[in-house]
Amino acid sequence: MSKKYLPLHLLLIVILLYNCSDNNQKNFYNIKDFGAKSDSTYINTKSINDAINTCNKMGGGKVYVPQGIYYSGTINLKSNVTLYLESGAVIKGSKDTADYIKDGKRYGLFYTRNAKNITIEGSGEINGNGTYFHDPTQPHIAGDLAVEYTRQGNDFMNIKYGLDDGPIKYKYRPGMMMVFMKCENIKIKDVMLKDTPEWTMRVGDCDNVEVSGVSVHANLLVPNSDGIHCTNSRNVRISNCDIRCGDDAVIVSGFDENVGVHSGQKNDAAINTFEYGNKTGYAENIVVSNCLLQSRSAGIRIGYGNLPIRNCIFSNLVIYESNRGIGIFTRDSAGIENLFFNNIQIDTRLHKGHWWGKGEPIHVSNINREEGMKTGTIKNIRFNNINMTAETGVVAYSETANSIENIQFHNCNLYIKKSKIDEIYGGNIDLRPAFAVDKQIFKSDIPGYYIYNVKNIQMKDIQVGWASDLATFYTHGIWCKNVSGGYILNYIGSGASDKYKSLAIENSNIQIK
């Protein structure tokens, strides 16, 4: 009987598949093989870190998290490691804050420093267990305002109005849930990031970062539960994400490392040397597109910190049920320039509680938060194709002349709706953080657009509409004070009632066409 052999081309395919499978096995590290257990009484910090360290020492590969809930303290990712969470896999933060302390410093669930080529992907979940560290029966209150300057006086932000919007109190909690400091070539794809105790993700001093298809679902009552916070990073792309946060959803700031990641503790200045990451000193080249954003503070926040911000594009976004839509702030010496916002739907409302913001769909402001500080400028900002429904108007406010310049609003529609809490929270402008106590939150009339102390404002194809039966503090359609240069072209609008003007110009030099 003759022997039968595989044809040569089929034999080569079998050998190739075998080799690929063998190579994959060599670079594949299941956390269960390192002792990880899906058990609520077991802390997997060592097991997960051992898998990551082994993967890194072997030249890189994939650390695999199978289905199950794995409680852990601080996890340190390393270069050339992909952390893959399969569907049904959850890495969940320990309830014991001691599990986040190393060398006397407190970290969050993930902390990665001075590394490259890192990926977190899969359809699993990273859960910070943040709600556990908060008390839903008590309000979180910060001493950053003087109520006597508000319209409501001592009744402003009174606990008797309830805690349904938060923020709620905490005593002690882990640090930011996921931190990348001085890293490059980072990819976060498809995972769910849930219930953070503080910032969900900090990308600090990093270069080349991609976040795509990620869901961030924080507890909307938790203070400081920022979504994706880029501090002094560059070349960042955030796309196709669903981000819902108690604090700002997407943030670009100029904070350096001295704004610590260790739950309020300062970082060690001696570790400021680094091999990887952003070494330019600019937060720059940020693109955010095709995302859904919800926030108790701002859907998008740009600003704060002593390093400049430039060259950012935000497009095709929906911001909904938020306290602010877009916020741009200079409070320190660094400037902000070249920002472009295009094709954005914004829906904002007044919120109870100690959140920054008072329902503005767009807020641009320049005011110092330290005595004698000269703030940087905000310039070359474009808002194009923006549709807004809000309970407060647009604000562009500068403490000093020529500190905000070249602001464009083109094809922007604003409709101001009636708020259920006008009388207890409305009729104020919020400029926090601010050094002058009378400028933190203060009583003010509310026009559709309030443009104050701005150089070169350009408004074209603008519409302002109002609901009926609004509070008496709603006034003009557009109100310009101390504005030098620019134009208003093809404006359609009116005042909030017959008592007020469609367009009010005070001490300003603007062309009306």
Side-chain angles (χ1 to χ4, degrees):
M1 209 174 173
S2 62
K3 296 181 179 179
K4 293 184 178 180
Y5 297 94
L6 282 173
L8 180 60
H9 70 283
L10 292 178
L11 180 62
L12 291 174
I13 291 173
V14 169
I15 293 171
L16 180 61
L17 290 173
Y18 175 83
N19 286 335
C20 288
S21 174
D22 188 48
N23 286 336
N24 285 336
Q25 286 297 111
K26 288 180 179 178
N27 298 296
F28 182 90
Y29 305 88
N30 189 322
I31 63 169
K32 282 195 168 183
D33 294 335
F34 293 81
K37 299 177 183 179
S38 178
D39 182 338
S40 62
T41 66
Y42 187 78
I43 301 301
N44 291 279
T45 312
K46 184 178 186 304
S47 300
I48 297 172
N49 279 314
D50 283 350
I52 291 168
N53 291 336
T54 301
C55 181
N56 168 257
K57 288 176 182 178
M58 296 301 292
K62 182 175 289 187
V63 173
Y64 177 75
V65 183
Q67 185 178 24
I69 300 175
Y70 303 90
Y71 286 84
S72 181
T74 303
I75 297 167
N76 301 110
L77 291 172
K78 299 293 178 66
S79 293
N80 306 313
V81 172
T82 292
L83 182 69
Y84 183 88
L85 293 92
E86 77 164 21
S87 179
V90 180
I91 294 178
K92 193 165 187 176
S94 168
K95 294 180 179 179
D96 187 350
T97 52
D99 290 329
Y100 305 96
I101 295 177
K102 182 179 180 181
D103 300 328
K105 290 186 177 181
R106 189 175 4 156
Y107 297 81
L109 187 52
F110 281 82
Y111 182 79
T112 303
R113 181 183 182 82
N114 201 26
K116 66 176 182 178
N117 305 331
I118 299 163
T119 298
I120 299 176
E121 63 182 5
S123 49
E125 176 183 312
I126 295 172
N127 187 313
N129 216 355
T131 301
Y132 173 80
F133 302 97
H134 292 77
D135 182 355
T137 69
Q138 298 293 323
H140 169 72
I141 298 175
D144 56 5
L145 66 97
V147 295
E148 60 265 30
Y149 294 101
T150 68
R151 183 175 297 274
Q152 292 77 15
N154 291 330
D155 207 33
F156 184 74
M157 210 175 293
N158 195 310
I159 186 62
K160 70 182 181 182
Y161 296 123
L163 287 172
D164 43 312
D165 281 335
I168 55 178
K169 189 176 182 178
Y170 64 92
K171 289 184 178 179
Y172 190 89
R173 55 186 178 176
M176 304 169 190
M177 189 170 87
M178 182 179 292
V179 174
F180 300 91
M181 294 296 296
K182 303 184 184 307
C183 296
E184 60 188 46
N185 305 338
I186 301 168
K187 290 184 180 180
I188 315 293
K189 299 173 60 179
D190 301 331
V191 294
M192 166 72 78
L193 306 179
K194 194 170 183 179
D195 198 14
T196 180
E198 295 187 41
W199 297 5
T200 305
M201 183 191 305
R202 177 175 181 174
V203 179
D205 302 317
C206 292
D207 194 346
N208 190 20
V209 178
E210 177 185 350
V211 182
S212 63
V214 169
S215 296
V216 178
H217 291 183
N219 184 336
L220 294 176
L221 304 180
V222 168
N224 313 116
S225 60
D226 296 30
I228 301 172
H229 196 140
C230 305
T231 62
N232 189 38
S233 290
R234 69 193 303 262
N235 302 327
V236 179
R237 289 92 62 212
I238 300 170
S239 63
N240 303 307
C241 293
D242 175 6
I243 304 175
R244 311 173 194 180
C245 297
D247 220 304
D248 306 310
V250 174
I251 308 97
V252 179
S253 67
F255 289 135
D256 60 19
E257 191 172 3
N258 288 323
V259 176
V261 299
H262 308 299
S263 192
Q265 302 171 62
K266 294 295 184 181
N267 290 323
D268 183 355
I271 60 176
N272 277 335
T273 58
F274 57 101
E275 183 177 1
Y276 304 119
N278 179 21
K279 303 177 183 180
T280 67
Y282 285 90
E284 62 180 355
N285 308 341
I286 314 291
V287 177
V288 180
S289 61
N290 303 327
C291 294
L292 304 174
L293 307 175
Q294 181 184 13
S295 172
R296 288 288 193 264
S297 196
I300 299 168
R301 194 196 90 200
I302 313 294
Y304 308 150
N306 58 3
L307 297 170
I309 299 168
R310 65 185 183 185
N311 305 340
C312 304
I313 296 176
F314 302 83
S315 63
N316 301 337
L317 307 173
V318 175
I319 301 172
Y320 66 98
E321 275 292 303
S322 293
N323 194 2
R324 277 180 175 143
I326 299 167
I328 304 171
F329 312 88
T330 44
R331 297 295 185 269
D332 308 282
S333 58
I336 300 171
E337 62 181 343
N338 304 338
L339 308 181
F340 183 38
F341 301 87
N342 186 53
N343 293 344
I344 301 176
Q345 171 68 44
I346 300 174
D347 176 30
T348 60
R349 67 173 177 87
L350 289 169
H351 285 72
K352 301 176 187 177
H354 208 106
W355 301 108
W356 287 357
K358 289 293 164 283
E360 314 95 292
I362 296 175
H363 178 114
V364 183
S365 64
N366 184 308
I367 186 170
N368 67 352
R369 60 174 168 182
E370 293 184 14
E371 186 176 15
M373 174 182 287
K374 180 176 173 55
T375 56
T377 59
I378 298 174
K379 62 182 180 181
N380 304 333
I381 314 297
R382 296 177 61 192
F383 299 98
N384 186 59
N385 296 336
I386 313 293
N387 195 55
M388 299 169 278
T389 302
E391 294 179 353
T392 310
V394 172
V395 174
Y397 185 104
S398 179
E399 187 175 30
T400 58
N402 303 325
S403 293
I404 297 179
E405 60 178 299
N406 299 337
I407 309 296
Q408 296 182 4
F409 294 95
H410 286 182
N411 193 27
C412 295
N413 298 329
L414 169 65
Y415 179 78
I416 295 186
K417 58 187 176 180
K418 184 174 177 59
S419 172
K420 295 179 181 178
I421 58 173
D422 264 342
E423 297 303 324
I424 60 174
Y425 276 87
N428 298 291
I429 289 180
D430 188 347
L431 298 179
R432 291 175 295 171
F435 172 74
V437 293
D438 62 336
K439 293 292 173 58
Q440 292 163 350
I441 300 181
F442 57 92
K443 174 182 176 180
S444 175
D445 290 338
I446 304 296
Y449 285 77
Y450 183 41
I451 314 296
Y452 180 80
N453 234 3
V454 173
K455 179 181 179 181
N456 191 24
I457 187 79
Q458 300 175 24
M459 306 181 75
K460 180 181 178 183
D461 298 326
I462 304 297
Q463 294 189 29
V464 176
W466 307 84
S468 59
D469 194 28
L470 291 171
T472 57
F473 51 73
Y474 293 103
T475 59
H476 310 297
I478 298 176
W479 189 10
C480 294
K481 298 178 67 176
N482 303 339
V483 176
S484 61
Y487 59 79
I488 299 175
L489 174 64
N490 297 339
Y491 163 54
I492 300 173
S494 66
S497 70
D498 294 340
K499 293 171 55 178
Y500 299 107
K501 299 178 180 178
S502 169
L503 182 58
I505 306 295
E506 297 181 23
N507 193 32
S508 298
N509 178 24
I510 304 175
Q511 297 183 46
I512 311 298
K513 303 180 182 179

